[in-house]
Amino acid sequence: MRRDALTTFRDLGILPPIADALERVGITHPFPIQELALPVALLGNDLIGQARTGTGKTFAFGLPLLQRIITPGDREYDQVVAQGKPQALVVTPTRELALQVSNDLKTASTQRPARIVTIYGG
C-alpha cells in the first residue's frame, strides 16, 4: 500500500518546539521504527523496539523522553518537586553510543530548554 503523503513528526504528536528543532536540521519525516514507536511511547507505554543501526532508534525513544520531561517555562514547572534535578536517564553500552545519543537529544531539544549531560567512564 503506497501513501501519497509522508507522515511527519508533527502528525505523530511531537510538540512544535521539538519538531521545529528537527526541521531546522532537515529532519522532517520519521523512519519506520519511529513511526511505529512514537504513538505508543508518547502515551507513556513501555515498548521494545528493534531495528538496524542507523534507522532512527534514538529519536524513537528520545523524542517522547524530551516531550514528557518538564522544563523551565512549562506551566507545570513550579509544581515539580525537585526542580533542576534529573528526570530521565538513558544508559548505553559504549561511550561512543552515549555521545551519539546525547548529540541527537541536544539536536532535538534546541527549541526546548532541556539540559542534557553525558557521563561516561574509561
Side-chain angles (χ1 to χ4, degrees):
M1 179 172 143
R2 188 177 187 308
R3 296 181 301 190
D4 292 327
L6 295 174
T7 301
T8 66
F9 287 101
R10 293 174 195 276
D11 295 336
L12 295 173
I14 296 300
L15 292 173
I18 298 171
D20 291 345
L22 295 175
E23 289 169 7
R24 284 183 168 205
V25 294
I27 301 170
T28 55
H29 301 290
F31 285 115
I33 187 71
Q34 297 162 346
E35 195 167 2
L36 292 170
L38 287 171
V40 176
L42 287 170
L43 292 174
N45 295 307
D46 293 339
L47 63 95
I48 296 173
Q50 182 177 355
R52 292 178 37 192
T53 300
T55 58
K57 293 181 296 293
T58 300
F59 286 154
F61 72 81
L63 299 183
L65 181 150
L66 291 173
Q67 188 152 316
R68 294 180 62 83
I69 63 172
I70 299 170
T71 63
D74 291 344
R75 65 174 180 252
E76 304 94 352
Y77 188 73
D78 291 336
Q79 299 162 353
V80 173
V81 174
Q83 292 177 359
K85 303 292 184 202
Q87 297 180 46
L89 175 67
V90 177
V91 179
T92 66
T94 66
R95 174 185 313 149
E96 292 78 16
L97 188 55
L99 291 168
Q100 175 189 324
V101 168
S102 67
N103 286 334
D104 287 349
L105 295 178
K106 287 175 184 176
T107 295
S109 66
T110 58
Q111 303 297 307
R112 185 162 165 73
R115 184 179 50 180
I116 297 167
V117 177
T118 310
I119 301 170
Y120 53 85

